[in-house]
């Protein structure tokens, strides 16, 4: 394949380390200038490609690109925009190929979750049929940790660390005030169908009986009576109860505790807040004083407390994506392979998986990672989770505030006359 330009885009909810993957892509591409020309980035993800709004990454200095490694959020802009199937809207895919062709783009690096893997695969397939083959490599990213084949997903380790630390600190607050104040504290975390993030709250426990005392996972059907009995018993025994609840906690029939009755841009149920729902139960049924909090964007933006392991892995999959592309590979996703089974001997390496098997597949918490009572994690669950939050990788600080990359985001001149409505 002759020298071609590359296109990189960020998709879906961002993480504390998605820019570390961008850094890995761009720095590695610059090391392969014999095969890769200019790297373009989509302004606001795949929407940038559809609108032909391409950022010329060559306008950014080496220092700025290096700073992406410690910068949270999506530096180039992300989007929640799911391309429809080829049958439903072939025009979108054809538009992407037209834009890539106009800008001599032969490499497509899509940094996202399961929906992005599906898009990446479709672009690879259609571009071949249209006579302009694109090497499409998916770069894993999701705080939900629900992609198959990879041991874990970049972005998860840092949100897990944030949730564990926040749970520990909030629990100390509640414990110190419970004699005359709050008895029940509920932290709501992300996780629509998979409970990995909520499970990470258990890493706050250093001794038996430590908070969190209850973890609610989507994989375990919610039993109101069992839950309230556990809360009551914990308050009686310890004076307070700390709960970490996944937003996707649901009843046995699959109804979410916090179903808001609408759907988001991807067609997923919009969840309206499981923490206040649980708090109302506690108040109405037990009459206990409570507080609740939503980790919300804070959990996925907390670069100041990122896991060093997560940062290294995020960079590594970005680097591996470029190396795979220049080696002639196509329609794959770099994966993280675990070597060793516990924290003491934990190490990892990079593997790969075919996109045909990755797209639209969710990985859930296995039953053996969940405690017998369903309100916590097992020793096997702890052994899996603990290594992923190891290590600190603090960003540089100035005047007490982290210093993050600021990009110029210089757009290249459009070459296609027609605008494309998104």
């Amino acid at each position: 394949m002759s020298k071609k330009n590359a296109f990189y885009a960020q998709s879906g909810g961002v993480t504390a380390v998605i820019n570390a993957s961008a850094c890995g892509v761009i720095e590695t591409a610059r090391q392969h200038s014999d095969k890769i020309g200019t790297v373009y980035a989509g302004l606001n993800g795949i929407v940038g490609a559809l609108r032909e709004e391409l950022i010329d990454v060559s306008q950014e200095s080496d220092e700025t690109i290096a700073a992406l490694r410690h910068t949270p959020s999506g530096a180039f802009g992300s989007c929640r925009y799911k391309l429809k199937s080829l049958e439903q809207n072939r025009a979108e895919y054809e538009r992407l190929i037209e834009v890539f062709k106009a800008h001599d783009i032969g490499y497509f690096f899509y940094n996202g979750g399961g929906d992005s893997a599906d898009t990446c695969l479709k672009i690879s397939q259609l571009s071949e049929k249209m006579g302009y083959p694109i090497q499409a490599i998916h770069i894993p990213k999701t705080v939900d940790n629900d992609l198959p084949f990879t041991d874990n997903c970049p972005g998860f380790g840092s949100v897990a660390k944030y949730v564990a630390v926040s749970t520990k600190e909030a629990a100390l607050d509640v414990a110190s005030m419970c004699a005359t104040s709050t008895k029940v504290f509920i932290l709501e975390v992300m996780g629509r169908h998979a409970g990995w993030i909520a499970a990470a709250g258990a890493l706050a426990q250093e001794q038996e009986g430590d908070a969190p005392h209850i973890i609610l996972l989507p994989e375990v059907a919610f039993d109101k009576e069992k839950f309230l009995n556990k809360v009551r018993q914990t308050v009686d025994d310890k004076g307070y109860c700390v709960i970490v609840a996944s937003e996707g906690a649901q009843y046995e029939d699959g109804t979410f505790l916090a179903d808001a009755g609408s759907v988001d841009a991807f067609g997923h149920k919009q969840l309206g807040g499981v923490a206040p729902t649980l708090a109302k139960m506690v108040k109405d049924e037990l009459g206990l004083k409570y507080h609740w909090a939503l980790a919300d964007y804070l959990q996925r933006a907390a670069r100041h407390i990122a896991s060093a392991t997560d940062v290294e892995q995020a960079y590594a999959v970005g680097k591996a994506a470029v190396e795979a592309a220049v080696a002639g590979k196509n329609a794959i996703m770099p994966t993280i392979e675990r070597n060793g089974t516990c924290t003491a001997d934990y190490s990892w390496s990079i593997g790969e998986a075919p996109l045909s098997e990755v797209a639209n597949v969710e990985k859930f918490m296995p039953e053996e990672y969940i405690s017998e009572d369903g309100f916590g994690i097992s020793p096997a669950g702890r052994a899996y989770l603990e290594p992923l939050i190891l290590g600190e990788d603090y960003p540089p600080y100035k005047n007490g505030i982290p210093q993050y990359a600021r990009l110029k985001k210089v757009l290249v001149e459009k070459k296609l006359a027609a605008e494309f409505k998104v």
Side-chain angles (χ1 to χ4, degrees):
M1 185 177 181
S2 59
K3 184 172 177 176
K4 291 282 187 178
N5 297 326
F7 176 79
Y8 167 81
Q10 299 174 324
S11 175
V14 295
T15 79
V17 300
I18 186 173
N19 290 330
S21 292
C23 180
V25 167
I26 297 163
E27 289 188 341
T28 308
R30 289 179 175 182
Q31 293 165 12
H32 290 277
S33 57
D34 58 323
K35 292 188 177 181
I36 299 178
T38 303
V39 176
Y40 299 119
L43 179 65
N44 302 320
I46 200 70
V47 167
L50 290 169
R51 292 174 174 164
E52 202 185 356
E53 295 175 339
L54 310 182
I55 297 168
D56 183 355
V57 177
S58 68
Q59 300 297 313
E60 310 292 346
S61 69
D62 289 345
E63 292 76 18
T64 299
I65 297 305
L68 287 175
R69 187 178 172 117
H70 62 252
T71 299
S73 182
F76 300 102
S78 185
C79 65
R80 289 199 182 280
Y81 186 83
K82 183 172 182 176
L83 274 71
K84 297 180 178 67
S85 68
L86 284 171
E87 295 73 28
Q88 287 178 295
N89 198 342
R90 187 182 178 91
E92 284 185 323
Y93 293 91
E94 291 178 341
R95 168 66 174 188
L96 289 175
I97 305 304
E98 286 172 3
V99 171
F100 291 163
K101 191 172 184 178
H103 294 272
D104 198 26
I105 292 167
Y107 304 99
F108 174 46
F109 302 108
Y110 205 18
N111 203 172
D115 288 324
S116 307
D118 182 57
T119 298
C120 206
L121 175 63
K122 286 187 171 77
I123 288 173
S124 171
Q125 294 170 335
L126 183 63
S127 66
E128 190 77 38
K129 291 178 182 177
M130 290 180 65
Y132 186 78
I134 300 286
Q135 282 178 257
I137 310 291
H138 181 249
I139 303 170
K141 169 249 45 163
T142 172
V143 296
D144 293 324
N145 199 39
D146 60 358
L147 287 172
F149 297 102
T150 184
D151 174 76
N152 59 283
C153 302
F156 171 68
S158 293
V159 77
K161 190 180 184 86
Y162 176 87
V163 167
V165 171
S166 298
T167 299
K168 188 175 188 65
E169 293 177 339
L172 289 171
D173 185 309
V174 178
S176 68
M177 298 290 292
C178 68
T180 59
S181 187
T182 300
K183 304 289 187 187
V184 178
F185 174 72
I186 305 161
L187 176 64
E188 178 182 329
V189 300
M190 291 176 174
R192 178 176 299 275
H193 298 125
W196 297 103
I197 298 175
L203 299 180
Q205 301 163 338
E206 293 184 69
Q207 299 178 16
E208 188 175 349
D210 282 357
H213 307 108
I214 298 174
I215 298 175
L216 299 180
L217 307 166
E219 291 88 349
V220 179
F222 180 76
D223 183 320
K224 182 178 178 180
E225 183 178 359
K226 185 180 175 184
F227 166 72
L228 291 172
N229 286 339
K230 178 76 170 177
V231 173
R232 182 189 295 109
Q233 188 63 55
T234 304
V235 172
D236 288 346
D237 292 346
K238 302 185 177 302
Y240 70 105
C241 180
V242 172
I243 302 160
V244 178
S246 171
E247 65 179 345
Q250 53 192 272
Y251 293 100
E252 193 166 9
D253 66 358
T255 303
F256 291 110
L257 270 68
D259 187 343
S262 57
V263 296
D264 66 12
F266 288 95
H268 302 144
K269 284 268 189 183
Q270 199 76 42
L271 303 183
V274 72
T277 301
L278 293 168
K280 187 175 187 303
M281 287 183 197
V282 167
K283 180 184 177 184
D284 291 350
E285 303 290 336
L286 303 179
L288 296 172
K289 184 173 181 181
Y290 64 83
H291 269 254
W292 57 266
L294 268 64
D296 203 47
Y297 286 5
L298 301 179
Q299 65 199 304
R300 73 185 196 198
R303 181 57 183 80
H304 66 287
I305 199 172
S307 153
T309 299
D310 195 25
V311 175
E312 290 165 10
Q313 292 177 341
Y315 185 93
V317 293
K319 180 175 185 286
V322 174
E323 291 174 342
V326 297
K329 295 181 180 181
N330 191 11
I332 64 155
M333 178 184 81
T335 59
I336 298 164
E337 308 289 329
R338 180 176 298 229
N339 309 318
T341 57
C342 63
T343 304
D345 64 359
Y346 176 75
S347 64
W348 54 275
S349 56
I350 296 294
E352 64 181 54
L355 287 186
S356 58
E357 297 180 29
V358 173
N360 298 311
V361 177
E362 285 183 293
K363 179 178 71 177
F364 305 106
M365 281 271 292
E367 190 175 343
E368 62 265 28
Y369 286 4
I370 303 171
S371 62
E372 279 190 41
D373 68 359
F375 286 134
I377 64 171
S378 67
R382 177 174 287 272
Y384 168 79
L385 291 166
E386 207 165 52
L388 306 181
I389 70 168
L390 291 180
E392 285 65 56
D393 189 85
Y394 300 118
Y397 278 73
K398 181 180 179 181
N399 298 326
I401 298 295
Q403 299 300 290
Y404 297 135
R406 290 180 181 271
L407 302 183
K408 298 174 186 175
K409 297 184 184 178
V410 177
L411 296 179
V412 301
E413 186 176 345
K414 292 185 178 184
K415 296 186 177 183
L416 299 177
E419 294 289 330
F420 192 86
K421 298 295 182 183
V422 176

